[in-house]
Amino acid sequence: ASQDELSHRSIRDQVKILRDERSAQMPYLSTAHIRSEINSKKIKEKIAFVQDERKSLTDIVNRAMQVNTAAQAASEQLSLQRRRILVAFRELFPEMELEMQHRDGSLSTAAFNSRYFRFSWRQPVFRGGILWNTFLQEKVGLEASEKEYEKIISDLINEVSGAYLEFQRAEKAMTSQEKMISKLQRFVDISEQKYKQNLASEIEHLNVDSLFGQVGYDFETSKQEWELAKLELQKHLKLEFEYSIKIQELYDLEHLLAEQKAQETQGDAAANAQSLFTEIQQGVVIPNLDVLVDLAYQHRPELQAEAFKLQSAILEERIRWGEMMPHVDINMEYGKLGEAFNVDSTNPGPKKEFRLLMELSWNAAGNRVNYTFENDERAPSVSQFLQGGGTQVTRNTVSIGVLDGIDSIVEAKEARVAKLDQIVELENMEKEVIHDVKNAYYEYQKAFIQVQSTLKRVDYRRRLAQLSEHRLSKNEIQISEYVQAEIDLLNEEIELHRAIRDYYIAKAELNRAVGMREFLPIEKSDGE
């Protein structure tokens, strides 16, 4: 279906059609998943996005960030990590519980009634730092998750920028070739007429046809590249192939060449200070390599994420060694129980109940030692042999295991190994970050020089083409020579589009390398 047909269909019809198509393409997907991925809200957002004005790079990036599954998963991970912090923080405080009970029944053929409530309180006194370090670990985990989210967004921006720039390059190359075909068609027709009238040789005629045919072949190749670039951009935007995309131009080739000519004839003041041409001529002032590396240390999310993971690994080791230290917990219960046979009382007075429990456990060199002190006071109950007096019990319990806690030592060692592995990961990431910065810096310098050089070559080829056209009008050269001059100009223009794309990509790569999205703004050069 075309985009116009899609826009005129009802949203409900579009949803049904797309769901059916998706189900036919991937029948092994669950219906629930297909329904969640294709719904009215998402279809409306797609239509609104493609029907607006031409999209800037910022618009494209914002759309990609909204629909990217990895970004959504990372966002959910942040939400999960915040809840994990709340859980860990809650563990630092006492546990409290209130229980109330009403019973009516019979015991030994005699009916009884019971009213009961109990308040219990449990406080961890000492856990070897486990609870506090777990809380700190979850906080560090949140910071690591935030940096992981920033990394995903940074990589996404870089990928989307590359797809956007390649789409623009392919579109401009295709447009330039289409204009050249229209321009050369007249000369091809003239060559055909001259050949039929024996005013041109067969070799000359075949040469013109061959050159023109090569331009047509290159045009078809560019159309394929444009289609593939469009498909890549649509993939990031989660748009079906029938949705077309219109993007804003970052530069205009004719304007660039006009500014170059104006600068040569009128001086530097003729160039727009905000234009891409001025940027190419004068360059973008960027810090030296050492400063860029320092910026990467401060802002690169991958490096910071690995550092936070190392801090988490250190806390994990402390938690595991905390298992080897004494643990002390205190439990207190207070309540009242009123229970009696119905023949004695239907509303027995409540009597106090109290329980104090102190638990101490210690993993001593792999041997678990447990000590428990308990003072338990219970109100009279109909189920007791002596109903009237209640009970009071004091217990001191000691238990000693033999090598039943050796697994904690192993876990502590595993945590230490994991910490050392994370140190290795941090060092590797540090090397990778430095390599990325250096590589992006040099690629930017190369791209900058390449654009300058190609721009001059385009100007040179354009003058040669103009000269050839003039000489052709004087019958000083053959049509094939003029066509060849125009094709050489076209090839240089296409190469210039490629060089400018590489220049913008180099800026995007440098932004990602230092971890700053707007370090070298890509869309600021809209002076055309």
Side-chain angles (χ1 to χ4, degrees):
S2 66
Q3 183 173 330
D4 290 338
E5 291 174 341
L6 284 173
S7 61
H8 285 86
R9 287 177 184 166
S10 68
I11 298 298
R12 182 179 300 176
D13 291 341
Q14 292 186 47
V15 170
K16 184 179 185 304
I17 292 171
L18 292 174
R19 283 176 177 174
D20 291 342
E21 290 178 353
R22 188 62 169 169
S23 179
Q25 290 172 347
M26 304 181 72
Y28 38 82
L29 281 179
S30 67
T31 304
H33 175 73
I34 294 176
R35 288 182 175 274
S36 66
E37 288 296 313
I38 303 175
N39 53 55
S40 299
K41 179 182 178 181
K42 293 184 178 181
I43 297 298
K44 290 179 181 178
E45 290 175 350
K46 287 180 184 180
I47 294 176
F49 178 78
V50 299
Q51 287 183 343
D52 287 343
E53 299 295 329
R54 288 183 175 270
K55 303 301 178 185
S56 65
L57 178 57
T58 301
D59 297 330
I60 297 292
V61 167
N62 290 339
R63 164 72 182 178
M65 289 170 58
Q66 291 174 3
V67 300
N68 183 262
T69 305
Q72 293 173 358
S75 178
E76 289 298 321
Q77 178 64 32
L78 285 175
S79 179
L80 171 63
Q81 196 62 42
R82 293 188 182 97
R83 285 163 174 76
R84 290 171 62 94
I85 291 177
L86 291 176
V87 173
F89 185 70
R90 173 64 185 86
E91 293 296 323
L92 295 171
F93 294 93
E95 298 178 12
M96 292 174 285
E97 181 182 359
L98 179 63
E99 180 183 356
M100 293 180 288
Q101 190 178 89
H102 175 205
R103 293 190 301 167
D104 288 301
S106 62
L107 184 64
S108 300
T109 69
F112 76 94
N113 64 88
S114 174
R115 306 290 187 274
Y116 168 73
F117 87 90
R118 181 185 66 181
F119 174 79
S120 61
W121 177 83
R122 179 184 178 88
Q123 173 65 52
V125 179
F126 184 74
R127 292 283 184 88
I130 292 177
L131 298 179
W132 178 248
N133 286 326
T134 300
F135 172 66
L136 295 180
Q137 187 183 42
E138 297 298 346
K139 289 184 63 178
V140 171
L142 174 61
E143 294 174 321
S145 296
E146 289 174 345
K147 297 305 175 183
E148 289 286 351
Y149 176 76
E150 291 179 16
K151 174 187 178 299
I152 290 173
I153 295 299
S154 177
D155 291 343
L156 177 63
I157 291 173
N158 194 50
E159 292 176 9
V160 173
S161 298
Y164 176 89
L165 295 169
E166 173 58 19
F167 180 76
Q168 179 172 243
R169 181 209 67 79
E171 189 172 61
K172 286 183 175 294
M174 184 176 64
T175 302
S176 296
Q177 288 169 332
E178 189 174 17
K179 290 180 179 178
M180 183 59 67
I181 289 175
S182 299
K183 182 177 182 179
L184 294 180
Q185 184 64 56
R186 181 171 68 91
F187 296 97
V188 173
D189 294 340
I190 293 173
S191 175
E192 180 71 23
Q193 294 174 4
K194 283 188 174 182
Y195 175 68
K196 290 179 179 180
Q197 298 173 8
N198 295 323
L199 298 177
S201 66
E202 183 179 3
I203 293 177
E204 166 65 15
H205 174 63
L206 293 175
N207 192 18
V208 172
D209 284 347
S210 175
L211 292 172
F212 188 72
Q214 184 62 43
V215 175
Y217 172 79
D218 293 340
F219 175 63
E220 292 299 324
T221 302
S222 293
K223 287 201 320 187
Q224 294 179 13
E225 292 177 351
W226 180 80
E227 292 289 351
L228 292 175
K230 175 185 175 183
L231 186 63
E232 181 68 16
L233 191 57
Q234 287 174 322
K235 181 188 73 174
H236 289 294
L237 301 177
K238 287 196 175 182
L239 297 176
E240 287 73 23
F241 190 73
E242 55 267 18
Y243 290 100
S244 62
I245 305 174
K246 297 179 181 179
I247 63 172
Q248 293 180 3
E249 292 185 343
L250 292 177
Y251 66 95
D252 181 77
L253 184 59
E254 294 300 323
H255 192 78
L256 283 177
L257 296 172
E259 283 192 332
Q260 183 185 43
K261 185 176 181 180
Q263 187 188 48
E264 292 176 354
T265 57
Q266 302 176 23
D268 293 341
N272 187 342
Q274 298 298 321
S275 70
L276 175 61
F277 174 77
T278 305
E279 178 180 316
I280 293 172
Q281 291 298 105
Q282 300 177 358
V284 177
V285 179
I286 61 175
N288 59 41
L289 193 55
D290 292 337
V291 175
L292 293 177
V293 171
D294 290 339
L295 289 174
Y297 273 109
Q298 298 172 20
H299 300 285
R300 189 71 178 266
E302 296 95 321
L303 190 60
Q304 296 179 13
E306 294 299 329
F308 285 127
K309 289 179 182 178
L310 175 58
Q311 189 173 350
S312 177
I314 292 173
L315 291 169
E316 179 65 22
E317 185 183 16
R318 293 179 182 175
I319 291 171
R320 295 307 172 189
W321 283 113
E323 296 287 350
M324 309 295 295
M325 301 182 68
H327 295 179
V328 180
D329 292 341
I330 293 180
N331 293 272
M332 294 181 62
E333 295 179 5
Y334 175 81
K336 290 187 177 182
L337 172 66
E339 188 171 273
F341 288 107
N342 291 345
V343 295
D344 296 329
S345 173
T346 57
N347 187 21
K351 301 294 181 64
K352 292 182 180 179
E353 291 191 328
F354 177 76
R355 181 172 180 254
L356 173 64
L357 178 68
M358 185 182 72
E359 299 174 303
L360 184 147
S361 62
W362 186 14
N363 190 339
N367 304 296
R368 297 187 186 276
V369 179
N370 298 291
Y371 168 73
T372 303
F373 169 80
E374 181 182 14
N375 180 46
D376 192 6
E377 299 179 9
R378 296 296 169 181
S381 170
V382 295
S383 61
Q384 295 172 335
F385 182 74
L386 297 177
Q387 301 178 21
T391 61
Q392 192 279 328
V393 179
T394 301
R395 298 186 184 92
N396 288 274
T397 307
V398 177
S399 64
I400 301 175
V402 179
L403 299 180
D404 57 344
I406 199 169
D407 57 324
S408 297
I409 299 177
V410 175
E411 291 174 355
K413 288 296 183 181
E414 288 176 347
R416 179 170 179 80
V417 172
K419 181 189 72 174
L420 296 175
D421 289 340
Q422 186 56 45
I423 292 175
V424 173
E425 292 293 330
L426 177 60
E427 292 175 350
N428 291 337
M429 180 57 66
E430 184 178 4
K431 294 175 184 177
E432 182 179 338
V433 166
I434 294 174
H435 176 270
D436 288 348
V437 173
K438 290 184 177 180
N439 184 66
Y441 176 80
Y442 293 128
E443 288 295 327
Y444 172 79
Q445 299 293 346
K446 287 165 54 179
F448 174 71
I449 296 172
Q450 182 67 22
V451 173
Q452 286 184 320
S453 174
T454 309
L455 189 60
K456 292 177 182 178
R457 290 203 305 271
V458 168
D459 181 59
Y460 168 71
R461 290 293 180 185
R462 177 162 290 196
R463 295 186 184 189
L464 283 181
Q466 293 171 351
L467 178 60
S468 297
E469 186 175 11
H470 176 72
R471 294 182 64 190
L472 179 63
S473 67
K474 301 294 184 181
N475 291 324
E476 296 178 0
I477 61 173
Q478 298 292 333
I479 292 178
S480 62
E481 295 179 73
Y482 166 71
V483 172
Q484 183 64 59
E486 289 287 359
I487 291 175
D488 291 340
L489 170 61
L490 175 62
N491 291 336
E492 286 296 346
E493 288 180 352
I494 293 174
E495 187 61 30
L496 178 58
H497 290 311
R498 192 181 306 276
I500 293 176
R501 178 208 62 183
D502 293 342
Y503 174 70
Y504 279 123
I505 288 179
K507 292 174 71 174
E509 287 285 352
L510 192 56
N511 290 345
R512 188 189 73 86
V514 299
M516 300 173 65
R517 179 175 176 179
E518 297 296 330
F519 179 67
L520 294 179
I522 295 178
E523 292 184 297
K524 76 171 185 178
S525 305
D526 289 331
E528 293 78 39

PDB file of all heavy atoms in Angstrom, residues 272-287:
ATOM      1  N   ASN A 272      29.420  33.420   4.159  1.00  0.00           N
ATOM      2  CA  ASN A 272      28.583  33.462   5.359  1.00  0.00           C
ATOM      3  C   ASN A 272      29.318  32.819   6.512  1.00  0.00           C
ATOM      4  O   ASN A 272      29.790  31.696   6.407  1.00  0.00           O
ATOM      5  CB  ASN A 272      27.276  32.715   5.076  1.00  0.00           C
ATOM      6  CG  ASN A 272      26.286  32.853   6.223  1.00  0.00           C
ATOM      7  OD1 ASN A 272      26.652  33.204   7.341  1.00  0.00           O
ATOM      8  ND2 ASN A 272      25.033  32.571   5.930  1.00  0.00           N
ATOM      9  N   ALA A 273      29.410  33.512   7.638  1.00  0.00           N
ATOM     10  CA  ALA A 273      30.193  32.996   8.769  1.00  0.00           C
ATOM     11  C   ALA A 273      29.592  31.732   9.357  1.00  0.00           C
ATOM     12  O   ALA A 273      30.272  30.982  10.036  1.00  0.00           O
ATOM     13  CB  ALA A 273      30.306  34.068   9.851  1.00  0.00           C
ATOM     14  N   GLN A 274      28.298  31.477   9.092  1.00  0.00           N
ATOM     15  CA  GLN A 274      27.649  30.301   9.651  1.00  0.00           C
ATOM     16  C   GLN A 274      27.550  29.149   8.645  1.00  0.00           C
ATOM     17  O   GLN A 274      26.947  28.135   8.933  1.00  0.00           O
ATOM     18  CB  GLN A 274      26.238  30.667  10.133  1.00  0.00           C
ATOM     19  CG  GLN A 274      26.217  31.697  11.247  1.00  0.00           C
ATOM     20  CD  GLN A 274      26.925  31.215  12.497  1.00  0.00           C
ATOM     21  OE1 GLN A 274      26.810  30.054  12.866  1.00  0.00           O
ATOM     22  NE2 GLN A 274      27.670  32.095  13.141  1.00  0.00           N
ATOM     23  N   SER A 275      28.098  29.314   7.456  1.00  0.00           N
ATOM     24  CA  SER A 275      27.906  28.321   6.407  1.00  0.00           C
ATOM     25  C   SER A 275      28.886  27.168   6.543  1.00  0.00           C
ATOM     26  O   SER A 275      29.938  27.276   7.168  1.00  0.00           O
ATOM     27  CB  SER A 275      28.063  28.972   5.029  1.00  0.00           C
ATOM     28  OG  SER A 275      29.424  29.318   4.809  1.00  0.00           O
ATOM     29  N   LEU A 276      28.544  26.061   5.888  1.00  0.00           N
ATOM     30  CA  LEU A 276      29.438  24.909   5.862  1.00  0.00           C
ATOM     31  C   LEU A 276      30.712  25.248   5.125  1.00  0.00           C
ATOM     32  O   LEU A 276      31.784  24.776   5.477  1.00  0.00           O
ATOM     33  CB  LEU A 276      28.731  23.728   5.191  1.00  0.00           C
ATOM     34  CG  LEU A 276      29.581  22.471   4.974  1.00  0.00           C
ATOM     35  CD1 LEU A 276      30.067  21.920   6.306  1.00  0.00           C
ATOM     36  CD2 LEU A 276      28.800  21.422   4.207  1.00  0.00           C
ATOM     37  N   PHE A 277      30.616  26.107   4.081  1.00  0.00           N
ATOM     38  CA  PHE A 277      31.807  26.475   3.324  1.00  0.00           C
ATOM     39  C   PHE A 277      32.841  27.157   4.214  1.00  0.00           C
ATOM     40  O   PHE A 277      34.031  26.829   4.182  1.00  0.00           O
ATOM     41  CB  PHE A 277      31.421  27.397   2.164  1.00  0.00           C
ATOM     42  CG  PHE A 277      32.606  27.929   1.415  1.00  0.00           C
ATOM     43  CD1 PHE A 277      33.275  27.120   0.506  1.00  0.00           C
ATOM     44  CD2 PHE A 277      33.070  29.218   1.625  1.00  0.00           C
ATOM     45  CE1 PHE A 277      34.375  27.594  -0.184  1.00  0.00           C
ATOM     46  CE2 PHE A 277      34.168  29.689   0.942  1.00  0.00           C
ATOM     47  CZ  PHE A 277      34.828  28.887   0.036  1.00  0.00           C
ATOM     48  N   THR A 278      32.382  28.111   5.018  1.00  0.00           N
ATOM     49  CA  THR A 278      33.309  28.792   5.927  1.00  0.00           C
ATOM     50  C   THR A 278      33.899  27.813   6.927  1.00  0.00           C
ATOM     51  O   THR A 278      35.087  27.880   7.264  1.00  0.00           O
ATOM     52  CB  THR A 278      32.576  29.927   6.663  1.00  0.00           C
ATOM     53  OG1 THR A 278      31.985  30.801   5.701  1.00  0.00           O
ATOM     54  CG2 THR A 278      33.537  30.702   7.539  1.00  0.00           C
ATOM     55  N   GLU A 279      33.081  26.890   7.391  1.00  0.00           N
ATOM     56  CA  GLU A 279      33.571  25.880   8.331  1.00  0.00           C
ATOM     57  C   GLU A 279      34.661  25.033   7.690  1.00  0.00           C
ATOM     58  O   GLU A 279      35.673  24.719   8.302  1.00  0.00           O
ATOM     59  CB  GLU A 279      32.405  25.004   8.771  1.00  0.00           C
ATOM     60  CG  GLU A 279      32.791  23.882   9.721  1.00  0.00           C
ATOM     61  CD  GLU A 279      31.590  23.053  10.127  1.00  0.00           C
ATOM     62  OE1 GLU A 279      30.548  23.634  10.430  1.00  0.00           O
ATOM     63  OE2 GLU A 279      31.718  21.814  10.130  1.00  0.00           O
ATOM     64  N   ILE A 280      34.455  24.686   6.417  1.00  0.00           N
ATOM     65  CA  ILE A 280      35.443  23.861   5.724  1.00  0.00           C
ATOM     66  C   ILE A 280      36.718  24.655   5.461  1.00  0.00           C
ATOM     67  O   ILE A 280      37.827  24.138   5.575  1.00  0.00           O
ATOM     68  CB  ILE A 280      34.841  23.327   4.408  1.00  0.00           C
ATOM     69  CG1 ILE A 280      33.711  22.342   4.718  1.00  0.00           C
ATOM     70  CG2 ILE A 280      35.892  22.657   3.552  1.00  0.00           C
ATOM     71  CD1 ILE A 280      32.930  21.912   3.517  1.00  0.00           C
ATOM     72  N   GLN A 281      36.558  25.930   5.078  1.00  0.00           N
ATOM     73  CA  GLN A 281      37.735  26.742   4.771  1.00  0.00           C
ATOM     74  C   GLN A 281      38.567  27.041   6.015  1.00  0.00           C
ATOM     75  O   GLN A 281      39.787  26.985   6.000  1.00  0.00           O
ATOM     76  CB  GLN A 281      37.287  28.058   4.116  1.00  0.00           C
ATOM     77  CG  GLN A 281      36.719  27.894   2.713  1.00  0.00           C
ATOM     78  CD  GLN A 281      37.742  27.336   1.739  1.00  0.00           C
ATOM     79  OE1 GLN A 281      37.682  26.174   1.374  1.00  0.00           O
ATOM     80  NE2 GLN A 281      38.692  28.145   1.346  1.00  0.00           N
ATOM     81  N   GLN A 282      37.876  27.367   7.107  1.00  0.00           N
ATOM     82  CA  GLN A 282      38.575  27.799   8.308  1.00  0.00           C
ATOM     83  C   GLN A 282      38.769  26.675   9.324  1.00  0.00           C
ATOM     84  O   GLN A 282      39.647  26.754  10.167  1.00  0.00           O
ATOM     85  CB  GLN A 282      37.809  28.961   8.963  1.00  0.00           C
ATOM     86  CG  GLN A 282      37.675  30.173   8.055  1.00  0.00           C
ATOM     87  CD  GLN A 282      36.870  31.276   8.690  1.00  0.00           C
ATOM     88  OE1 GLN A 282      36.368  31.133   9.793  1.00  0.00           O
ATOM     89  NE2 GLN A 282      36.740  32.407   7.992  1.00  0.00           N
ATOM     90  N   GLY A 283      37.932  25.644   9.212  1.00  0.00           N
ATOM     91  CA  GLY A 283      38.038  24.540  10.153  1.00  0.00           C
ATOM     92  C   GLY A 283      37.297  24.826  11.440  1.00  0.00           C
ATOM     93  O   GLY A 283      37.007  25.968  11.789  1.00  0.00           O
ATOM     94  N   VAL A 284      36.960  23.763  12.135  1.00  0.00           N
ATOM     95  CA  VAL A 284      36.337  23.874  13.450  1.00  0.00           C
ATOM     96  C   VAL A 284      37.427  23.754  14.501  1.00  0.00           C
ATOM     97  O   VAL A 284      38.203  22.798  14.495  1.00  0.00           O
ATOM     98  CB  VAL A 284      35.277  22.775  13.659  1.00  0.00           C
ATOM     99  CG1 VAL A 284      34.687  22.862  15.055  1.00  0.00           C
ATOM    100  CG2 VAL A 284      34.180  22.905  12.611  1.00  0.00           C
ATOM    101  N   VAL A 285      37.485  24.736  15.358  1.00  0.00           N
ATOM    102  CA  VAL A 285      38.531  24.724  16.381  1.00  0.00           C
ATOM    103  C   VAL A 285      38.195  23.661  17.417  1.00  0.00           C
ATOM    104  O   VAL A 285      37.173  23.745  18.103  1.00  0.00           O
ATOM    105  CB  VAL A 285      38.664  26.107  17.041  1.00  0.00           C
ATOM    106  CG1 VAL A 285      39.741  26.064  18.120  1.00  0.00           C
ATOM    107  CG2 VAL A 285      38.973  27.168  15.997  1.00  0.00           C
ATOM    108  N   ILE A 286      39.045  22.649  17.510  1.00  0.00           N
ATOM    109  CA  ILE A 286      38.850  21.597  18.503  1.00  0.00           C
ATOM    110  C   ILE A 286      40.108  21.502  19.358  1.00  0.00           C
ATOM    111  O   ILE A 286      41.206  21.854  18.911  1.00  0.00           O
ATOM    112  CB  ILE A 286      38.544  20.239  17.847  1.00  0.00           C
ATOM    113  CG1 ILE A 286      39.706  19.800  16.947  1.00  0.00           C
ATOM    114  CG2 ILE A 286      37.257  20.287  17.054  1.00  0.00           C
ATOM    115  CD1 ILE A 286      39.524  18.412  16.374  1.00  0.00           C
ATOM    116  N   PRO A 287      39.981  21.049  20.588  1.00  0.00           N
ATOM    117  CA  PRO A 287      41.158  20.929  21.459  1.00  0.00           C
ATOM    118  C   PRO A 287      42.146  19.903  20.911  1.00  0.00           C
ATOM    119  O   PRO A 287      41.850  19.129  20.001  1.00  0.00           O
ATOM    120  CB  PRO A 287      40.556  20.466  22.797  1.00  0.00           C
ATOM    121  CG  PRO A 287      39.100  20.771  22.708  1.00  0.00           C
ATOM    122  CD  PRO A 287      38.736  20.676  21.267  1.00  0.00           C
TER     123      PRO A 287
END
